[in-house]
Amino acid sequence: HAGAWAEWVGHPCLEETRTSTERPALRQTFGVAPGDILVALLPGSRSSEIRVIASRMAKAVSIVNAERRVRFVAVVPGEFVREARSYLPSSIRIVSDCAKELLFASDAAVVKMGTATLEAAVTDTPQVTVYDVSLAGRVEWCLLWAWRHIPFLAMPNIILEREAVPELIGLNCQPEKIAQTLLRILGDKTTRDKMRNDYALVRQALGSDLPIPPTERTAQVVEEMLSETMGRIRPERLTV
């Protein structure tokens, strides 16, 4: 509306993708045998998120492992590894600062709402998205936000404006529902394929079809703008 020139160059997260040939070696780094099923747990990047989400993930893991054998690895920022361990049993390995690598190596993921849901889409990892807050946070939500119509919280859903990945929010963010949803994804190829088809649309919306990578095109735009600006500047006349 202001008349400023703009160009969509794409999202830089697309530049950090890995090839399928890297996946077996990457799975080995997380201690996963070739025939194992690996599920990534991403309980959040803040202490308040880990405190609410991690314990529910731990209970969901117990429910899932009662049904079938699955390996679980959690990833959190390095400064929160000790706190995460207080909520997650020793059977769940905890790693730090390698979320995208873990997602790429995994067969599915349970992901706290946020940027990580987009990273799961970029790495093509089927996911269950979850989110909840403390009791005080729920009161704040009811007072400030509950009256607003917010159809989706997971970024792939926001981008496509429909449900591409399941969202378990608030009272629905319970271990039983998390486990049931994850088991459905692991056991139903059709569900996984549909989610991955939607992921392709998400990546397309992020600029996967653009001819030039985002960072490179951004540098070109800056050079073009500087060149145009410098061309307009006339050298000052020298007085003798």
Side-chain angles (χ1 to χ4, degrees):
H1 295 293
W5 175 84
E7 177 181 337
W8 168 240
V9 299
H11 198 292
C13 69
L14 296 173
E15 297 178 328
E16 303 171 10
T17 56
R18 293 173 174 265
T19 63
S20 58
T21 56
E22 298 176 86
R23 193 166 184 263
L26 196 56
R27 286 171 65 86
Q28 284 186 348
T29 65
F30 292 112
V32 181
D36 287 349
I37 296 173
L38 174 62
V39 172
L41 302 176
L42 283 75
S45 57
R46 299 179 179 88
S47 177
S48 58
E49 296 169 344
I50 293 171
R51 185 166 59 250
V52 173
I53 300 296
S55 60
R56 301 184 196 183
M57 287 185 172
K59 292 177 183 177
V61 166
S62 297
I63 296 171
V64 170
N65 278 332
E67 296 283 334
R68 60 185 301 176
R69 185 175 180 273
V70 177
R71 292 288 303 276
F72 289 90
V73 176
V75 59
V76 297
E79 62 268 31
F80 296 127
V81 168
R82 180 174 296 180
E83 182 173 2
R85 175 54 70 204
S86 68
Y87 299 107
L88 299 173
S90 58
S91 59
I92 299 175
R93 181 181 176 186
I94 300 176
V95 296
S96 62
D97 305 318
C98 57
K100 185 163 284 189
E101 291 81 359
L102 178 59
L103 285 167
F104 184 75
S106 298
D107 299 289
V110 182
V111 185
K112 194 276 305 178
M113 299 283 184
T115 307
T117 63
L118 193 61
E119 292 180 340
V122 171
T123 57
D124 222 26
T125 310
Q127 64 180 309
V128 182
T129 66
V130 299
Y131 189 71
D132 199 4
V133 293
S134 64
L135 181 59
R138 286 187 182 178
V139 172
E140 179 182 350
W141 171 268
C142 290
L143 293 175
L144 300 179
W145 303 102
W147 59 275
R148 299 188 181 187
H149 177 62
I150 303 176
F152 301 111
L153 292 183
M155 295 185 75
N157 297 346
I158 293 172
I159 291 171
L160 297 183
E161 298 182 319
R162 59 178 173 82
E163 184 174 300
V165 299
E167 297 186 354
L168 300 179
I169 305 168
L171 296 177
N172 285 321
C173 181
Q174 299 300 325
E176 296 77 12
K177 290 190 176 182
I178 296 172
Q180 291 168 6
T181 308
L182 178 59
L183 284 168
R184 184 174 72 250
I185 290 173
L186 292 174
D188 187 358
K189 184 178 183 299
T190 301
T191 298
R192 297 194 302 274
D193 289 345
K194 182 179 182 303
M195 199 176 297
R196 285 178 170 136
N197 289 337
D198 285 336
Y199 283 169
L201 298 177
V202 171
R203 292 192 294 271
Q204 189 176 32
L206 294 176
S208 62
D209 292 340
L210 293 174
I212 303 175
T215 302
E216 182 179 345
R217 180 54 191 151
T218 300
Q220 289 180 354
V221 170
V222 172
E223 289 179 349
E224 292 165 4
M225 293 174 66
L226 288 173
S227 178
E228 182 180 352
T229 301
M230 295 302 294
R232 293 175 182 171
I233 300 176
R234 296 180 180 179
E236 296 180 2
R237 290 184 179 181
L238 296 177
T239 58
V240 179

